[in-house]
Amino acid sequence: MAENEKAQQSRKDYDPSLDFFSEKFDPLKAILTPGVSPPIVDAKVYDNTSQFYQFYLNPNKQIVKAGSSKSQERHTEPERKWLPHQLPIPSKRKTRIEKNVLTNMETIKGPIKLLTKCKDERIQIKVWTRHSHGIRGYCIGYVTIFDKHWNLGLEEVTETWTRPKRRKIPAGMEMQECEISKGRLVPPPIKVIKSDEKFETCERHIDQLVIRGEQIVMIALLCTGAK
């Protein structure tokens, strides 16, 4: 009796729309109804109906999913197989030596190389300078730096030059006597060592001085004892 009641109850609960083997099967209702499981639990899952249709037409065909390693191998471009003698020749890249004024002073060639000796051996030099229409004067000092354009950096310099006597600023006037605002550099004092009717010869001492190459007329060594 109990078995008959269960059979009758199962017939009442039977819904053909939830039967996977029924012609009235409703897949949407089966998805939305809780507790409904497919008859084959370990059935293969497809990404879409197109994949299932391909498998249905050709069950032996292997379907490759997008993004898999096999699909990437298919889409890779063919590469040419080079023979050993066709490969590019490996070359060692030469390290570029950084060049600047300091390195150029050591490797410079020509007559200007004598300035390297003056710098290393602390030899005093005399540099004649010019103005727009003649010789302006000369500077005596020690070379600290130079370049191929004859730009010089000197220290402990004694500058002597000639200038017209008639000027707006009186000769020998020291800048310390003028009112100078704070933060401005004070030029070294100028000393007049010789004077005539039109010109006067002045002299001053400068700790450091830069002379442009275009203003240089000639350079001479004052002491060549060190070799």
Side-chain angles (χ1 to χ4, degrees):
M1 295 292 293
E3 293 179 357
N4 293 333
E5 290 179 358
K6 289 181 179 180
Q8 292 177 0
Q9 185 66 25
S10 61
R11 290 177 182 176
K12 291 180 180 180
D13 297 338
Y14 173 74
D15 188 356
S17 61
L18 298 178
D19 187 2
F20 287 85
F21 300 99
S22 175
E23 295 180 355
K24 299 180 180 180
F25 174 71
D26 187 359
L28 180 60
K29 185 177 180 180
I31 294 174
L32 298 177
T33 303
V36 178
S37 58
I40 303 175
V41 181
D42 56 347
K44 188 174 181 179
V45 180
Y46 296 93
D47 293 340
N48 46 54
T49 55
S50 177
Q51 284 188 1
F52 171 75
Y53 185 69
Q54 292 179 10
F55 178 77
Y56 179 76
L57 295 178
N58 189 3
N60 297 325
K61 184 178 180 181
Q62 186 178 4
I63 299 175
V64 180
K65 294 184 179 181
S68 61
S69 59
K70 291 185 178 180
S71 64
Q72 292 178 359
E73 291 177 359
R74 289 184 179 180
H75 293 289
T76 53
E77 297 181 358
E79 297 181 359
R80 180 175 177 179
K81 295 182 180 180
W82 298 91
L83 297 176
H85 67 277
Q86 295 177 326
L87 295 174
I89 300 174
S91 61
K92 294 182 179 180
R93 189 174 183 180
K94 296 181 179 179
T95 56
R96 186 176 180 180
I97 301 174
E98 184 179 356
K99 294 183 179 181
N100 51 41
V101 178
L102 299 177
T103 57
N104 290 338
M105 285 194 300
E106 303 299 331
T107 59
I108 200 166
K109 297 180 181 179
I112 198 173
K113 186 176 178 61
L114 189 61
L115 293 177
T116 305
K117 178 181 178 181
C118 298
K119 178 182 71 70
D120 297 338
E121 300 181 7
R122 194 70 176 173
I123 299 175
Q124 202 173 34
I125 65 172
K126 185 175 182 179
V127 183
W128 280 267
T129 58
R130 68 177 181 87
H131 48 60
S132 59
H133 55 278
I135 301 297
R136 177 181 180 273
Y138 60 87
C139 299
I140 298 175
Y142 297 94
V143 182
T144 56
I145 194 170
F146 64 91
D147 62 7
K148 63 180 181 180
H149 304 290
W150 293 87
N151 299 317
L152 296 179
L154 306 177
E155 64 180 3
E156 299 181 14
V157 184
T158 301
E159 183 183 12
T160 305
W161 76 99
T162 303
R163 65 183 181 184
K165 200 169 185 179
R166 294 182 179 180
R167 300 183 326 280
K168 294 182 179 180
I169 301 177
M173 180 179 179
E174 298 182 0
M175 296 300 295
Q176 289 86 344
E177 299 176 0
C178 301
E179 294 182 0
I180 302 176
S181 60
K182 294 182 179 180
R184 294 184 60 182
L185 297 176
V186 179
I190 299 173
K191 180 181 178 181
V192 179
I193 58 177
K194 185 180 178 181
S195 178
D196 55 20
E197 295 181 359
K198 295 183 179 181
F199 299 96
E200 59 186 7
T201 303
C202 304
E203 186 181 77
R204 63 179 176 180
H205 181 77
I206 306 172
D207 294 334
Q208 294 179 338
L209 178 66
V210 176
I211 306 176
R212 296 183 61 178
E214 60 185 12
Q215 304 295 334
I216 295 176
V217 178
M218 185 174 61
I219 300 176
L221 276 66
L222 297 184
C223 179
T224 57
K227 293 184 180 180

